Amino acid sequence: VNAWTEFGASYGRVIYDEGMHFLKGGITLKYLAGVANGYLQMSNLKGTLDVDQNNGVFLSQTTGMVGLGFGGHPIDDVKNGHLGGFNSSGFGADLGFVYEFRPLSKEGYLLKVGVALLDLGSISYKQDTSRTGAYTAHVTGAQKAYLDDFGEVDNFKDYFRTHPQYFTPSTLGDGSKYSVGLPTTLQLDVDYHIFSGFYANLAGQFSLAGNKAYNSSYYGAYTLTPRYEGRSFGFYLPVNYNELTHFNAGFCFRIGPMFLGSGSLLSAAIKDSKQMDFYVGFRFGGLRKG
């Protein structure tokens, strides 16, 4: 979990506009006010989850390492909306460019390419030693560690500390500061005008956040969307693959200012799916006359 508030200032402009080539770019600089960071880490953890009809789910025959760390406000405060002032800070930025190839007219493009680096930066937190620690698990023999006894995530250390028969302390937090990276991504987008109102769009999202336990990150994703775009009607057919829910296919209709659709309805209808979504909205403004 990484929760923060950001305050930013943005600037964008046309960089080049000559003949068939058009380039624009923009940047946002941000001050990051950290609210809370929390993470749970496991290494070589092996065990059995089972159910006791009277007392619920429990761990048995479990070995390995469990680590947890926290900085900023308690996670429970974030969940309940009870927050004080910011006690962690950092700086970040977004940066992007769009290039258009316009061989036919200044108003329309044959090819548009966009590239952006989003959520660059990090926040410095001070480790909360009262909630941070690492433990070696040894739930063996007939022992049972019931999950309901763990309580809220902020209280996990209290459970580990009061159950030495299951978890032995190894390395504790020392109260030092640590730097939490934002969920940085590289965004690539290619849009091709096939003919008349028909287009094809290929987009990719690539995570650059690294694999540290306390960094949040986005999953990598790739989407191909053929579409028809008219002034009063639009139809879109997104086909997506991402690292979390894998293959998804959906559709979207736009009638006037209203649009509705799903990124996964078609794939969910023909096979078992890990994703199901639906959206509806209204667009303000207008499309250029073509």
Side-chain angles (χ1 to χ4, degrees):
V1 176
N2 191 23
W4 74 94
T5 295
E6 58 187 41
F7 305 88
S10 300
Y11 174 76
R13 60 163 296 171
V14 174
I15 300 172
Y16 185 84
D17 186 7
E18 293 290 340
M20 297 182 292
H21 305 285
F22 177 84
L23 177 66
K24 58 185 176 181
I27 186 171
T28 298
L29 300 177
K30 301 183 285 190
Y31 171 75
L32 309 172
V35 177
N37 177 255
Y39 61 92
L40 180 66
Q41 191 175 15
M42 294 174 284
S43 177
N44 297 318
L45 189 67
K46 299 178 181 179
T48 300
L49 278 174
D50 209 338
V51 179
D52 182 322
Q53 295 300 323
N54 295 319
N55 298 305
V57 180
F58 63 87
L59 276 172
S60 64
Q61 306 303 318
T62 301
T63 59
M65 188 279 290
V66 179
L68 62 158
F70 296 92
H73 290 281
I75 302 300
D76 284 351
D77 287 353
V78 178
K79 290 166 55 180
N80 297 325
H82 300 146
L83 298 177
F86 305 118
N87 55 12
S88 306
S89 62
F91 295 93
D94 300 323
L95 176 67
F97 298 91
V98 174
Y99 166 77
E100 294 182 9
F101 179 54
R102 301 173 171 180
L104 302 178
S105 73
K106 298 290 289 184
E107 299 299 325
Y109 61 84
L110 176 65
L111 177 69
K112 180 166 69 172
V113 179
V115 58
L117 280 170
L118 302 183
D119 288 321
L120 291 164
S122 62
I123 302 171
S124 178
Y125 287 95
K126 183 178 180 181
Q127 197 173 66
D128 185 345
T129 57
S130 67
R131 295 179 290 153
T132 300
Y135 300 85
T136 300
H138 45 82
V139 185
T140 58
Q143 292 177 321
K144 298 179 181 180
Y146 288 93
L147 300 192
D148 284 346
D149 295 338
F150 280 59
E152 297 291 342
V153 64
D154 283 312
N155 300 322
F156 278 9
K157 184 175 179 178
D158 289 339
Y159 176 86
F160 293 144
R161 180 178 54 82
T162 56
H163 291 78
Q165 69 273 31
Y166 302 147
F167 300 94
T168 302
S170 53
T171 303
L172 297 178
D174 59 5
S176 61
K177 288 189 175 181
Y178 63 105
S179 181
V180 177
L182 297 187
T184 308
T185 59
L186 172 65
Q187 305 279 340
L188 298 177
D189 185 275
V190 179
D191 201 49
Y192 182 70
H193 187 180
I194 302 171
F195 66 90
S196 185
F198 292 91
Y199 297 78
N201 182 274
L202 179 63
Q205 174 175 279
F206 307 90
S207 175
L208 304 179
N211 57 3
K212 294 180 179 178
Y214 43 75
N215 284 354
S216 52
S217 63
Y218 289 107
Y219 286 98
Y222 315 90
T223 305
L224 175 64
T225 309
R227 73 184 190 277
Y228 171 78
E229 193 78 71
R231 285 185 57 80
S232 58
F233 174 78
F235 176 73
Y236 314 81
L237 189 65
V239 179
N240 169 272
Y241 179 86
N242 67 75
E243 296 172 347
L244 179 63
T245 61
H246 301 160
F247 175 79
N248 299 282
F251 68 92
C252 175
F253 290 100
R254 178 184 56 81
I255 302 175
M258 180 180 178
F259 61 90
L260 56 92
S262 168
S264 58
L265 186 61
L266 295 182
S267 53
I270 62 177
K271 68 180 186 67
D272 291 336
S273 177
K274 297 180 181 179
Q275 178 177 327
M276 184 61 188
D277 61 88
F278 183 80
Y279 54 85
V280 61
F282 290 86
R283 183 183 187 279
F284 296 92
L287 298 175
R288 69 173 183 86
K289 292 183 178 180

